[in-house]
Amino acid sequence: MTPHTVSGSRGLLQAEPLLFEIGDVHRTGVDLPAPKGVDRLGGLKRKAALDLPGLTEPEAVRHYVRLSQKNYAIDLGLFPLGSCTMKHNPRLNERLARLDGFADLHPLQPLSTVQGALELMAELAHWLMELTGLDAVALSPKAGAHGELCGMLAIRAALEARGEAETRRRVIVPSSAHGTNPATAAACGFIVDEVGATEDGHVDLEEFKQKLGDDVAAVMLTNPNTCGLFERDVKTIADLVHAAGGYFYCDGANYNAIMGRVRPGDLGVDAMHINLHKTFSTPHGGGGPGAGPTVLSQALAPFAPVPHLVRRDDKSLALIEHADDASSAPFGRMCAFHGQMGMFVRALAHMMSHGADGLKQAAEDAVLNANYVLARLKGHYNAPFGDQPCMHEALLDDSTLRANGVETIDLAKALLDEGYHPFTTYFPLVVHGAMLIEPTETESKRELDRFADVMIALAERAAAGDSAFFKAAPQHAPTRRLDEVKAARQPKLRWKPEEASARAAAE
Ligand SMILES: *Cc1c(COP(=O)(O)O)cnc(C)c1O
C-alpha cells in the first residue's frame, strides 16, 4: 500500500513542488532597490516581465536540498548501471582538482603562467599513450560520444588526404553497438552498415568478411563488447579491415575491463576514445563537461585536432592553436579551448595513485566482481552467455520470468524499493529483456552479496508468481510508476501556470 500522509512527505523525505509553484513573481528574497534602465541587452529590449518566481533564501535552499535528497548517487550505494561504470570517485582526486593552481586557471592566461597545468596535460597524454600503445592523443573531446566524433573526423580527414573520402562511405557497426556509434558515423556523413552477432554474443566474423570492400571507411567496434564479452576475433577484424583499406575505430568506453592487460594499439586500433569518467574515475559530468580523450594510431595522428601540446627547445610547453601553425594536417578543433582541466587532474591523480600495477589490478577486480555477481545470479535468472566467463559486466535477461508475468522493467522498479539504482535495462538490444549489471572494482564483497541477495529474493518472488507485487513497484520511491512511453512521446517541456492552478483546484 502507498504510504499516505497529510503533507505528501514520506518520513523525513519532504514532498516538493516545482520552483514555480512555491515561488511568486511578486515576491523576492533580496532587498535591493528596483533596478533602473536594465530592460535592454545590447540591441534587444525587454517587452514583458520575466515572471521568474521569487523565493526567500531558506525556501530556495530547501528546494534544492529536498530535490538532492531524492537523488540516488554512487556515494549512497551500489549503482549497477551496466555500460556506465559508476564507481567510487576517490576523494584524493577531488582534493587535487581543487588546488588553486588548477581550479582557478583561465583558458586565456599567458602560456608562461600555466606551465604546470600544461605539464600535467603532457603527463596525462603520456600515460594514455603508454597504456593504449598508441601514437597520439587528442585531449580536448568532452565526452565519450564527443571522442567518437573526434576519431571519426580524423578517419574522414585521412580518407580525404588519400582522395578516397567520396568512395569510402560505409562504416560497419555491430548490432550490439552503443547507440552513439551509428549516430556518430551518420553525423560524419558515413553510411552505417550493421553486422550481426553470433549465438554466443560475438561479432559474426563471416558476415563481417562479406561486408568488406573498397567502399568501407571503417569498422566501429566495442571491446569488450556491450554483452560484456571480449571479442576474441578483434585482431583478425583489425587485420581484415586494414587489408581492405579501412580504419579500426574502437569504442573504448569499456577499456576499464582490459586496462593494463592489453594495449589497444597492439590489437590494431586506429582510434579510440577513453571515457575518463568511466575508466579513470572522474565524476560523470560532475560540475561541468566530462572528458573523452581520443588516442590515435600513427596513420591518424597527423589529423589530430588542434590545440596540439608541443615542447619548445627551452623545454617549456606551448599550445599550437591554429591549423596553419601545425606541422601536420589537423582536421579542425573540437571545442573552444583545450579540454576539461578538472577532469585531467582527477584522471592523472587516479593513475598516479594506483600506479601501473594498480590500474591493471583495478581492471582485474572489475572483471572478478562481475563474474562473482554472474556466478551468484545465473541459477536464478537466465544468463544468455552465462556458459562463458564475462568481462566487467554480467548480462541477464527476463526470459525465465516472463511466464510469470514479470519483466525486466518490473524488476528494475522493484530494485528502486530496495534502495538500489536499477541495472541497465533493455540494452544491449541484441538480447531481449536485457539486464546489464556492472558492479565495478570499487564494491566490496559484502556490498556485492547484499545486492545479489536482493536480486535472488526478487527472482524467487517472481518465480512464486507474485506479479502483482512487481507491477505495483515502486511503492517507496518519490514518484510511482510513470507512463514512460507517454513521457517520451508527449513530453511536457513547459510549465504553464493555468494547468498548475487547475490541478491544484482539482486536488
Ligand atoms: C558510455 C558509452 C559511450 C558514450 O560515452 P559518453 O561519455 O556518455 O558520451 C559510448 N559507448 C559506450 C559503449 C558507452 O558505454
Side-chain angles (χ1 to χ4, degrees):
M1 241 195 54
T2 319
H4 185 78
T5 55
V6 177
S7 57
S9 299
R10 292 178 175 211
L12 298 179
L13 275 183
Q14 304 279 327
E16 187 63 3
L18 295 177
L19 207 51
F20 286 87
E21 291 164 341
I22 42 177
D24 184 328
V25 293
H26 304 297
R27 208 159 13 116
T28 169
V30 290
D31 188 12
L32 297 173
K36 288 197 194 85
V38 289
D39 56 350
R40 275 185 180 282
L41 187 66
L44 304 173
K45 184 170 165 40
R46 184 194 292 166
K47 291 188 193 140
L50 280 178
D51 284 348
L52 292 177
L55 291 92
T56 68
E57 183 170 317
E59 279 174 331
V61 169
R62 282 179 185 161
H63 178 72
Y64 290 105
V65 171
R66 286 171 181 177
L67 292 188
S68 77
Q69 290 191 323
K70 297 190 198 319
N71 235 341
Y72 193 76
I74 188 66
D75 290 344
L76 214 51
L78 185 132
F79 209 129
L81 198 58
S83 208
C84 296
T85 317
M86 303 299 293
K87 64 191 184 193
H88 173 68
N89 298 302
R91 293 302 182 269
L92 172 67
N93 306 353
E94 297 302 316
R95 184 86 191 265
L96 295 180
R98 280 166 180 69
L99 290 176
D100 295 347
F102 295 125
D104 291 348
L105 292 181
H106 191 283
L108 293 177
Q109 249 174 267
L111 287 180
S112 62
T113 67
V114 293
Q115 285 297 312
L118 296 183
E119 201 63 60
L120 181 137
M121 287 166 64
E123 187 70 17
L124 175 66
H126 172 73
W127 275 76
L128 292 173
M129 291 187 290
E130 278 292 310
L131 282 165
T132 57
L134 281 151
D135 292 79
V137 58
L139 290 176
S140 58
K142 298 215 170 168
H146 205 210
E148 285 177 40
L149 184 65
C150 176
M152 293 309 285
L153 287 174
I155 288 174
R156 202 174 72 182
L159 291 172
E160 270 163 18
R162 283 161 49 180
E164 293 185 84
E166 295 304 315
T167 51
R168 290 191 179 269
R169 300 279 315 283
R170 212 151 46 85
V171 171
I172 303 174
V173 181
S175 53
S176 63
H178 193 264
T180 48
N181 294 184
T184 301
C188 292
F190 293 112
I191 297 157
V192 178
D193 191 5
E194 191 174 289
V195 57
T198 57
E199 287 282 295
D200 64 351
H202 296 274
V203 171
D204 188 328
L205 192 60
E206 289 314 310
E207 191 186 331
F208 174 75
K209 283 181 190 164
Q210 277 155 27
K211 287 191 178 292
L212 289 171
D214 55 13
D215 62 337
V216 166
V219 59
M220 290 183 92
L221 193 82
T222 314
N223 201 15
N225 69 22
T226 58
C227 298
L229 305 172
F230 190 81
E231 292 284 3
R232 292 178 306 256
D233 295 324
V234 60
K235 190 74 181 66
T236 311
I237 290 172
D239 292 345
L240 286 170
V241 77
H242 287 153
Y247 295 97
F248 177 11
Y249 187 91
C250 183
D251 180 329
N254 293 338
Y255 182 54
N256 59 309
I258 54 172
M259 168 179 57
R261 290 298 301 255
V262 59
R263 301 190 311 167
D266 296 338
L267 300 178
V269 169
D270 289 301
M272 182 178 99
H273 72 265
I274 298 170
N275 304 59
L276 295 187
H277 46 292
K278 295 179 181 174
T279 303
F280 295 106
S281 178
T282 64
H284 285 236
T294 303
V295 282
L296 300 167
S297 67
Q298 209 171 9
L300 296 182
F303 308 101
V306 286
H308 291 175
L309 201 54
V310 292
R311 205 171 280 283
R312 301 268 189 232
D313 291 342
D314 63 0
K315 300 281 183 251
S316 68
L317 283 156
L319 287 169
I320 304 286
E321 295 280 2
H322 301 288
D324 294 347
D325 302 333
S327 54
S328 55
F331 68 71
R333 69 158 56 234
M334 297 299 297
C335 57
F337 298 111
H338 48 265
Q340 189 61 9
M341 195 66 205
M343 296 302 177
F344 297 163
V345 181
R346 288 175 175 93
L348 188 64
H350 192 77
M351 292 167 171
M352 296 184 83
S353 57
H354 277 69
D357 57 337
L359 292 178
K360 178 163 168 271
Q361 191 189 334
E364 290 169 352
D365 289 351
V367 172
L368 179 65
N369 278 0
N371 277 284
Y372 181 70
V373 170
L374 181 64
R376 283 215 58 195
L377 298 184
K378 73 179 178 186
H380 305 270
Y381 291 85
N382 184 53
F385 312 117
D387 53 347
Q388 46 185 324
C390 61
M391 293 296 291
H392 60 310
E393 296 169 311
L395 181 57
L396 309 172
D397 69 36
D398 61 2
S399 56
T400 53
L401 308 175
R402 278 202 297 272
N404 289 321
V406 178
E407 298 173 37
T408 291
I409 185 83
D410 306 319
L411 274 156
K413 299 298 181 192
L415 263 188
L416 289 174
D417 280 340
E418 298 292 342
Y420 285 107
H421 189 287
F423 38 74
T424 289
T425 57
Y426 301 102
F427 177 80
L429 302 177
V430 289
V431 170
H432 191 290
M435 308 178 211
L436 190 64
I437 300 171
E438 179 174 8
T440 81
E441 73 277 12
T442 58
E443 296 303 330
S444 63
K445 180 166 179 298
R446 179 180 169 275
E447 280 289 355
L448 295 180
D449 279 329
R450 215 162 70 89
F451 174 70
D453 289 345
V454 167
M455 285 290 288
I456 291 168
L458 291 175
E460 285 169 353
R461 192 154 191 168
D466 193 356
S467 67
F469 166 83
F470 286 94
K471 295 296 172 193
Q475 301 262 14
H476 305 294
T479 49
R480 301 292 303 277
R481 200 178 291 212
L482 305 171
D483 185 341
E484 292 180 11
V485 175
K486 191 168 175 205
R489 297 267 160 85
Q490 300 164 23
K492 282 196 179 167
L493 303 175
R494 274 191 70 184
W495 178 82
K496 297 200 188 97
E498 316 82 64
E499 285 178 18
S501 46
R503 204 170 63 222
E507 281 164 6

